[in-house]
Amino acid sequence: MRPLRLAAALLLAALPAPAPLRFPRDHGAHPADPVEWWYYTGHLTDRAGREYGFQLTFFRVRDLHLAHFAWTDVARGTFVYDEKTHLGLPGIAGAAAGGLDVSNEDWSAREAGGIVRLETGTKALGRLSLALTPAKPPVLQGEAGLSRKGAGENEYSHYVSIPRFTVEGALSRGAQAAPLTGTAWFDHEWGPGALPAGAAGWDWFALNLSDGSDLMLYRMRLASGAASPFSTGMFVPAQGPPRPIGWADVALAPRTIWTSPHSGAVYPAVWSLAVRSLALDVTITPLVADQELSTEKSTGVRYWEGACRVEGTRGGSGITGRAYVEMTGYAGRDVPGAIQAR
């Protein structure tokens, strides 16, 4: 075992067991932790079969509330996004403890009766209203929901996912409302918010596969480009309990690159991904090349976050799916330990 991996294993073995998480309580805010974010992505279609992707993320950095929204129109090949920043003030922005109720101006995520309702949009795009019904229970990432990012005392977060929702809703423009259906993914993290000094960025993948299974992979990149020993994953089968994926089980490599016309940053574009224990071998391809966000008015991070398709095999049989991929650190805008892009 390499020294870095040995150190990581010893650290994880020495960690005290985290307090048990309870839901829906822990979908709410955790004011004692300085950094927290609620993150939704999804794939939608309208009645004509046109495909869209969306991202809606709420951040809390102590009393500061920030938010990102992005919309991918696959048929038109377009990508738009917006951002918000406010102090936590009644009627302006806030996040309640005890259950999911987070908002920033007219964007919100609230849960009642097991249904999550998202409200977001922009003046140009219109109003996006979605109802999300969980198709799977919460999944605790890391060790009982404690996800280590590095070896430092504060380099961790509590991390829970709901990897698959069914979605119904509409995009409204004036009196016109276009019904939408699809699927969505939810991540929620909270904790000290520190990243290791040697981190250059990360690559995060959330796959919803056609056999009903779901896969999260998270690669923390070192300055050398190698994966840190804290890179990890979680596989959620269509039926049965989730199981962790060790990075030694993963083969991940970019097949093509994309150069941003906005920042000049060079990002991986098409990815090859194989997970040996799952007999999974797929290609992940962006549905639109340009899905880069530059968030100078909020988190101050430039990153690529976008809707992708999945094609390949599992166990020798064909498999397809949809994914969201997030890539940070390629534009030189990420500062380890500062506000993160998720």
Side-chain angles (χ1 to χ4, degrees):
M1 183 179 288
R2 292 187 295 166
L4 275 175
R5 294 193 182 277
L6 176 61
L10 292 173
L11 172 64
L12 290 170
L15 284 174
L21 301 179
R22 290 195 293 110
F23 304 101
R25 180 197 69 185
D26 282 304
H27 291 320
H30 300 79
D33 290 284
V35 177
E36 186 163 20
W37 60 94
W38 297 259
Y39 165 88
Y40 294 89
T41 58
H43 302 268
L44 306 171
T45 55
D46 63 19
R47 287 179 174 172
R50 289 182 290 263
E51 188 172 0
Y52 309 91
F54 78 91
Q55 178 215 154
L56 178 62
T57 308
F58 297 92
F59 307 86
R60 181 189 59 80
V61 184
R62 300 193 186 278
D63 294 328
L64 186 64
H65 291 261
L66 314 101
H68 297 170
F69 168 65
W71 179 258
T72 303
D73 185 322
V74 178
R76 290 186 172 91
T78 57
F79 177 74
V80 296
Y81 64 91
D82 200 0
E83 55 189 318
K84 297 181 184 292
T85 301
H86 289 289
L87 289 173
L89 295 170
I92 302 298
L100 179 66
D101 185 353
V102 58
S103 62
N104 201 316
E105 293 185 7
D106 58 343
W107 299 355
S108 63
R110 296 186 171 99
E111 186 272 337
I115 306 299
V116 175
R117 299 190 182 276
L118 304 183
E119 294 285 342
T120 186
T122 70
K123 289 182 180 179
L125 179 68
R127 187 74 180 165
L128 183 65
S129 302
L130 301 175
L132 282 59
T133 302
K136 293 185 178 181
V139 173
L140 302 183
Q141 305 285 2
E143 184 66 29
L146 195 150
S147 173
R148 273 275 165 191
K149 314 303 185 186
E153 179 181 1
N154 293 320
E155 294 168 2
Y156 72 90
S157 68
H158 302 279
Y159 183 1
V160 60
S161 302
I162 298 179
R164 191 177 289 239
F165 291 86
T166 58
V167 181
E168 294 185 352
L171 179 64
S172 301
R173 298 182 178 94
Q176 301 292 323
L180 298 165
T181 58
T183 60
W185 180 294
F186 170 60
D187 272 2
H188 181 195
E189 296 196 48
W190 65 96
L195 292 177
W202 64 81
D203 306 303
W204 175 90
F205 301 80
L207 281 65
N208 295 130
L209 298 172
S210 57
D211 65 356
S213 65
D214 308 294
L215 176 66
M216 186 281 290
L217 292 173
Y218 176 85
R219 179 177 74 164
M220 179 73 75
R221 294 192 320 279
L222 302 174
S224 66
S228 91
F230 296 92
S231 302
T232 187
M234 186 71 73
F235 176 70
V236 186
Q239 302 290 332
R243 68 176 190 260
I245 300 294
W247 202 256
D249 196 21
V250 176
L252 176 69
R255 292 176 57 181
T256 66
I257 59 172
W258 175 76
T259 301
S260 168
H262 316 293
S263 65
V266 178
Y267 294 91
V270 178
W271 292 87
S272 292
L273 168 65
V275 182
R276 298 177 188 89
S277 64
L278 303 178
L280 181 71
D281 189 348
V282 296
T283 300
I284 302 170
T285 305
L287 294 175
V288 172
D290 186 354
Q291 298 180 83
E292 183 188 45
L293 297 89
S294 182
T295 62
E296 286 87 352
K297 297 178 182 178
S298 56
T299 55
V301 175
R302 188 184 292 271
Y303 66 107
W304 195 99
E305 175 95 27
C308 302
R309 68 174 180 268
V310 182
E311 299 171 300
T313 61
R314 184 176 179 207
S317 299
I319 197 167
T320 60
R322 287 292 182 260
Y324 253 79
V325 176
E326 180 180 88
M327 299 180 284
T328 76
Y330 294 94
R333 295 293 305 279
D334 298 310
V335 181
I339 297 171
Q340 301 174 18
R342 292 185 48 246

